[in-house]
Amino acid sequence: MLRRLAFVFLFLTLCPLAWGQAEHDVRERDLEQVTVKPKRQRYKRKGNPAVELMRKVIAAKADHDLSHNDYVRYNKYQRLTYAYNNISSRAKDSLALFQRPLLKRQIEYCPQTGKYILPFGYTETASQHLRSRQPKRERNYILGTHTEGVTDMFAEGDMVNTVLQSIFTDVNVYDDVITLFERKFTSPLSSRAAISFFQFFILDTCEIDKERVIRLNFVPQNPQDFGFSGYLNVLDDSTYRVQQCTLHLPLRSSVNFVSNLVIEQRFIDLPNGQRVLRTDDLFAEFGVVKKQRLAMLHRATQYSGYQTDSIPDIYFMPSDVRREGSAETDDETFWQARRADSLSTAEANLASTTAQLQARSLRSFPMFIVRSAVSNFVPTSLNPKRSPFDIGPLMSTVSHNFIDGYRLRLGGQTTANLHPHLFLKGYAAYGLSSKEWYGLAEVEYSFLRKKYSSGEWPRHSVMASYQKDVFSPADFMWQNGRDKDNVWISFKTQTVDHLMLNRQWTARYELETNAHLDLKLQFKASELNPRGSLFYRQLNGECVNSFHMADITTSLRWAPGEEVINTKQRRHVVNHNNPVFSLAHTVGLKGVLNNRYHYNLTELTAYERIWLNSYGRIDISVRGGVQWNRVPFPLLIMPVANNSYIITRNMFSMINNLEFVNDRYASFMAEWDLSGKVLNRIPLLKHLKLREVIGFKALYGHLSSKNDPFAPRNAMSDVLFEMPSREGVCIVHPMNSVPYMEMNIGLHNILKVIRIDYVRRLNYLHYPGVKKHGVRFCLDFDF
């Protein structure tokens, strides 16, 4: 979802320029490079002097590892510039769009491409990094950030900048694994895999910057694997230090949207003899297809002020530096003292150019439509960053369910422009078949001043809400932030006719810390009325029209290192490379607000992503829970089932609504994205650059005799309810000692954006209404 929004934003920004230049590109062609290749020879590692040299270079890595120092301190300056790319000389001089004074002054020559570019934004950051070895501690102080460009015209501009910085992470060739494009690449200096993954060749011995170096070339064994090609300059002495490194993506690389990538790194010596990174320049060109170079990104990073002397403990103590976010400053004196080089003329003019473009776009109705489509909300101000109230989400305006048929919904929320601490949210919905009104009213007070929305990290707030709406029992139990009224999710693979009307009052206190520990304390009172085929009936045959609940939930969630951003609708994780752990306990308050039951529900979840370098990644999720008390079935545990056609993370795809009901359970989910490791080796098929994914999900559940309405001991119970049924046949089925299992095999990167999975249910196939097979799909933007 994050990448989708970012790509849509950049696409809409660049398309008018691309269409305008298309006719010039047809008439103007560059002379293609001609390469004469020698006869192909079989590569051998044994007796290869390049391989022997690389073994020595890799063995010497430990001598230059900064983590071996007791303390390390250094400064870092980074500037990320993005531009419309590949403007030909003819287009620059004749295309009417580029003759407009506002754009004409922004066009400048790019030495990396040999053509002209149109910069439309940059972000610069100055920071200081501190690290100690004993005890192991690390701090990253953001001294200042500054952004200029067309992203300021969108409320989602900050999101785009954050996504770009997450995609283009810092690179150090001395690391075993290089993370880039949210992918893991094997480094040419990897201690574990470099020798087997790359082919190395000695090209020359020469003198560069008054140092005698051996120049090596390296390429991956399979060009379509996620690996680099490039050059290494190694000092021709006994230290085997790297002087300079250049990384490229192979021409046949399966990385999407990247037409060209060059990373150049230079190293310097510290007084203690360690080799450290001095500059890191990344240059990338992007297009929908490989030969298209629609956009350009340049990331320039300068490291300085390396020190290995002692650092006082006070500098490692927790503080609110990160809470104040990105320490935004536009003080030109501050930045001149920290920039490695001066801004180009186009970059220096971006502030005034953006201001003039924004003044014009505020009066543009098409731009208003574009902003609304990207954000899923309609601002109530022509300037979206100043909107006091946003209407939406638009994708939930029309939806469908068994009770209401089609239903219409209109909602919205206030922003920090109305009040930086107080936020209101709500919606009203109307079922066309049921003729019934639904709605939500929510008020939240944030103790921290917000920039735009209440959900911005970190959160420290109190909230109260009232909601009246229709839910399936599973949706009610697993209200995990997914919008059940989203038009795509509302269409199901089966008839979900067991529903309930929920009237719910909620009060919540939430605190998020700098360590990414999230504490929630929530009170909830609900009145549930069965709808459709659902009924509440005691074992003595007496029907219950209303089921009341009142409880308090305490939950802890810890996601060390997690980075999040906010859209107008919800918070998104920038990437899923960090582990996540959560623990929650709910206590039922018997006698409060007509609640007749005392209950205790405990749940524990954990998530981890395991990278296998060129073999892709495995995402693993485990979850377990216990309902400790005797309760009727609405308080028992139902699986996290996804009954829509859309692929949804961490949910079962082939379990029917209300099929399994337990009072204790454990689930395991694993998905292996091989990143084309198999398909890229199959002739002809490899040219499609498809990527394979394999998943397995299992659920073990048990319904103890105290909560089983079919157990003889419960025949006279006034606590338990009959299990749901359809036409007199119970739809809830018992689980035996064998866990429920399903698996999926899928292809993604279809036309670069589509994923399709075949899902197969492996057991419990004899129950009525069970489907053995299914097909699920989604849009999946991935590099």
Side-chain angles (χ1 to χ4, degrees):
M1 181 63 183
L2 275 180
R3 290 186 293 268
R4 190 184 316 165
L5 288 171
F7 288 146
V8 167
F9 169 82
L10 294 174
F11 178 78
L12 293 172
T13 303
L14 295 173
C15 269
L17 301 176
W19 293 335
Q21 194 186 340
E23 57 180 330
H24 291 268
D25 291 342
V26 172
R27 293 193 298 265
E28 183 170 318
R29 291 286 184 270
D30 292 332
L31 184 63
E32 296 289 340
Q33 180 180 353
V34 177
T35 303
V36 179
K37 296 183 179 180
K39 183 179 180 180
R40 186 172 182 177
Q41 298 180 353
R42 183 179 178 183
Y43 178 78
K44 296 181 180 180
R45 293 187 181 90
K46 187 176 181 179
N48 187 334
V51 172
E52 296 304 318
L53 175 62
M54 285 306 303
R55 294 187 191 275
K56 296 176 181 178
V57 174
I58 293 171
K61 278 176 38 173
D63 298 334
H64 312 294
D65 189 349
L66 283 175
S67 64
H68 291 172
N69 296 290
D70 291 335
Y71 297 93
V72 175
R73 181 197 323 230
Y74 61 89
N75 299 320
K76 174 184 169 185
Y77 169 82
Q78 186 172 91
R79 184 165 72 244
L80 197 69
T81 302
Y82 30 95
Y84 177 69
N85 189 39
N86 209 22
I87 302 175
S88 63
S89 300
R90 181 177 299 182
K92 170 182 173 292
D93 295 331
S94 61
L95 191 61
L97 180 64
F98 295 140
Q99 301 311 304
R100 298 179 181 181
L102 193 61
L103 295 181
K104 189 173 184 178
R105 69 174 186 174
Q106 285 298 115
I107 297 177
E108 62 183 14
Y109 181 76
C110 178
Q112 287 91 345
T113 63
K115 291 200 174 182
Y116 293 93
I117 62 173
L118 177 64
F120 60 87
Y122 72 85
T123 298
E124 54 186 345
T125 305
S127 58
Q128 185 179 60
H129 297 252
L130 311 176
R131 186 186 308 158
S132 72
R133 184 167 62 94
Q134 295 281 339
K136 188 175 181 180
R137 296 172 297 181
E138 192 168 353
R139 294 288 294 176
N140 177 26
Y141 288 97
I142 304 297
L143 305 179
T145 65
H146 181 217
T147 301
E148 296 288 357
V150 297
T151 54
D152 289 337
M153 298 167 58
F154 290 77
E156 289 72 26
D158 292 340
M159 180 199 72
V160 175
N161 293 329
T162 303
V163 171
L164 289 176
Q165 290 175 351
S166 172
I167 292 172
F168 296 96
T169 51
D170 294 335
V171 172
N172 190 338
V173 72
Y174 272 105
D175 294 335
D176 283 344
V177 176
I178 295 173
T179 302
L180 201 63
F181 309 120
E182 298 184 356
R183 293 278 176 180
K184 299 288 185 179
F185 293 81
T186 299
S187 168
L189 296 183
S190 172
S191 302
R192 300 191 300 264
I195 301 301
S196 60
F197 187 85
F198 293 98
Q199 297 180 358
F200 293 96
F201 307 91
I202 294 178
L203 299 180
D204 194 9
T205 301
C206 57
E207 186 171 302
I208 300 177
D209 294 337
K210 300 180 180 180
E211 293 180 314
R212 186 168 181 81
V213 300
I214 302 173
R215 189 166 175 81
L216 295 98
N217 168 237
F218 57 89
V219 295
Q221 291 273 23
N222 186 338
Q224 288 187 302
D225 278 343
F226 284 91
F228 296 105
S229 61
Y231 303 91
L232 286 172
N233 291 347
V234 179
L235 295 185
D236 189 10
D237 58 24
S238 60
T239 64
Y240 301 106
R241 293 171 294 179
V242 175
Q243 181 211 50
Q244 183 177 349
C245 172
T246 302
L247 305 177
H248 302 270
L249 276 183
L251 293 177
R252 287 187 288 166
S253 167
S254 59
V255 176
N256 288 330
F257 309 113
V258 182
S259 305
N260 181 35
L261 174 72
V262 180
I263 301 174
E264 293 185 350
Q265 296 191 327
R266 292 181 177 272
F267 297 83
I268 59 171
D269 290 327
L270 296 182
N272 63 5
Q274 288 183 311
R275 198 76 167 177
V276 295
L277 191 59
R278 182 184 67 182
T279 61
D280 174 21
D281 274 351
L282 181 150
F283 175 81
E285 295 177 284
F286 304 92
V288 178
V289 295
K290 280 288 183 182
K291 292 185 178 181
Q292 184 185 45
R293 299 186 176 185
L294 182 64
M296 183 275 288
L297 182 141
H298 179 215
R299 189 196 67 197
T301 308
Q302 177 89 13
Y303 297 88
S304 63
Y306 284 97
Q307 298 179 33
T308 57
D309 52 348
S310 178
I311 302 174
D313 289 342
I314 191 173
Y315 287 96
F316 292 101
M317 294 181 65
S319 70
D320 283 344
V321 172
R322 291 192 66 179
R323 280 178 169 258
E324 295 171 4
S326 0
E328 294 183 10
T329 176
D330 56 2
D331 183 357
E332 189 60 28
T333 303
F334 173 90
W335 290 111
Q336 286 181 356
R338 289 166 174 79
R339 286 173 182 149
D341 55 358
S342 59
L343 297 177
S344 68
T345 302
E347 289 173 331
N349 291 335
L350 267 172
S352 60
T353 301
T354 302
Q356 295 180 58
L357 284 173
Q358 186 164 1
R360 297 181 183 183
S361 70
L362 294 181
R363 302 188 295 268
S364 170
F365 183 73
M367 282 299 295
F368 181 82
I369 297 299
V370 168
R371 292 192 191 102
S372 300
V374 170
S375 67
N376 200 24
F377 278 79
V378 179
T380 53
S381 169
L382 290 176
N383 186 340
K385 287 197 169 184
R386 296 180 181 177
S387 172
F389 185 83
D390 292 334
I391 301 171
L394 299 179
M395 293 300 292
S396 300
T397 304
V398 180
S399 60
H400 183 274
N401 65 53
F402 181 81
I403 300 297
D404 299 318
Y406 286 96
R407 62 185 247 160
L408 305 177
R409 172 173 146 173
L410 181 65
Q413 59 195 21
T414 65
T415 74
N417 295 311
L418 186 64
H419 197 289
H421 295 278
L422 186 65
F423 297 87
L424 305 176
K425 179 190 296 183
Y427 67 81
Y430 182 72
L432 298 183
S433 296
S434 64
K435 310 297 183 185
E436 190 162 0
W437 284 94
Y438 310 98
L440 166 72
E442 178 180 303
V443 57
E444 181 173 357
Y445 181 82
S446 171
F447 298 103
L448 301 175
R449 185 182 181 90
K450 297 300 182 179
K451 185 177 179 181
Y452 192 87
S453 67
S454 62
E456 294 167 4
W457 187 89
R459 204 169 196 162
H460 185 201
S461 65
V462 290
M463 182 276 289
S465 69
Y466 171 75
Q467 184 179 30
K468 174 190 172 185
D469 212 335
V470 172
F471 291 84
S472 71
D475 284 340
F476 172 75
M477 185 169 192
W478 305 104
Q479 298 181 41
N480 56 1
R482 191 177 70 152
D483 186 359
K484 69 178 184 63
D485 287 339
N486 183 286
V487 63
W488 300 110
I489 295 177
S490 66
F491 290 96
K492 306 298 185 181
T493 60
Q494 57 182 267
T495 300
V496 180
D497 54 351
H498 290 76
L499 300 170
M500 56 193 186
L501 177 65
N502 175 38
R503 295 179 177 89
Q504 180 172 296
W505 296 260
T506 305
R508 184 188 69 223
Y509 169 77
E510 183 173 3
L511 171 65
E512 291 178 319
T513 70
N514 290 333
H516 291 276
L517 184 65
D518 181 9
L519 167 66
K520 289 181 184 178
L521 182 63
Q522 178 176 281
F523 169 79
K524 182 178 66 179
S526 302
E527 179 186 347
L528 307 179
N529 304 110
R531 292 288 188 270
S533 300
L534 186 66
F535 57 84
Y536 297 149
R537 188 160 55 217
Q538 294 179 334
L539 298 186
N540 60 11
E542 181 180 348
C543 289
V544 177
N545 294 324
S546 297
F547 183 84
H548 294 271
M549 301 167 54
D551 52 53
I552 292 178
T553 300
T554 303
S555 64
L556 288 172
R557 181 182 182 272
W558 185 42
E562 182 180 70
E563 186 175 3
V564 298
I565 64 171
N566 298 278
T567 61
K568 292 183 178 182
Q569 188 171 4
R570 64 173 62 93
R571 178 183 294 180
H572 294 274
V573 178
V574 174
N575 60 60
H576 296 275
N577 292 329
N578 304 99
V580 180
F581 308 94
S582 65
L583 174 65
H585 185 76
T586 300
V587 178
L589 305 176
K590 186 176 181 179
V592 176
L593 298 176
N594 298 319
N595 176 31
R596 296 176 49 209
Y597 308 99
H598 176 68
Y599 49 90
N600 287 269
L601 173 64
T602 305
E603 291 186 286
L604 175 68
T605 64
Y607 164 83
E608 179 68 274
R609 170 170 287 179
I610 302 173
W611 280 95
L612 305 175
N613 293 344
S614 64
Y615 286 88
R617 62 178 184 246
I618 300 177
D619 290 343
I620 298 176
S621 297
V622 293
R623 184 191 295 264
V626 178
Q627 172 61 261
W628 301 96
N629 300 94
R630 172 179 286 192
V631 293
F633 88 83
L635 292 172
L636 295 176
I637 304 170
M638 298 157 214
V640 280
N642 171 33
N643 299 133
S644 74
Y645 291 94
I646 306 301
I647 297 172
T648 306
R649 291 170 54 90
N650 300 328
M651 298 186 77
F652 291 96
S653 299
M654 300 302 292
I655 292 181
N656 292 336
N657 184 41
L658 287 172
E659 182 176 356
F660 300 117
V661 176
N662 303 293
D663 57 15
R664 57 205 62 206
Y665 79 99
S667 67
F668 172 84
M669 300 183 184
E671 186 170 271
W672 184 10
D673 182 350
L674 283 81
S675 302
K677 190 67 175 181
V678 175
L679 298 179
N680 285 344
R681 283 161 170 75
I682 300 177
L684 299 181
L685 192 60
K686 66 181 181 181
H687 298 295
L688 298 177
K689 298 185 177 179
L690 300 175
R691 299 173 187 171
E692 58 283 277
V693 60
I694 302 172
F696 175 79
K697 300 173 184 178
L699 169 71
Y700 172 78
H702 175 68
L703 184 64
S704 60
S705 60
K706 68 183 178 185
N707 285 316
D708 186 356
F710 300 104
R713 59 176 286 194
N714 296 322
M716 303 302 295
S717 173
D718 60 352
V719 174
L720 303 187
F721 288 0
E722 293 182 14
M723 289 297 188
S725 62
R726 181 182 292 112
E727 297 179 355
V729 179
C730 182
I731 64 171
V732 178
H733 306 302
M735 299 191 72
N736 53 39
S737 59
V738 178
Y740 165 88
M741 293 177 287
E742 66 179 48
M743 68 174 297
N744 61 285
I745 300 176
L747 294 176
H748 67 108
N749 208 42
I750 302 172
L751 302 178
K752 300 185 185 295
V753 297
I754 298 173
R755 172 175 169 176
I756 299 177
D757 279 10
Y758 164 73
V759 187
R760 176 67 159 86
R761 178 168 171 154
L762 301 178
N763 58 356
Y764 292 96
L765 302 175
H766 59 284
Y767 293 139
V770 165
K771 295 181 178 179
K772 300 179 183 179
H773 315 275
V775 176
R776 305 292 183 266
F777 66 91
C778 69
L779 294 180
D780 186 14
F781 288 77
D782 199 356
F783 282 100

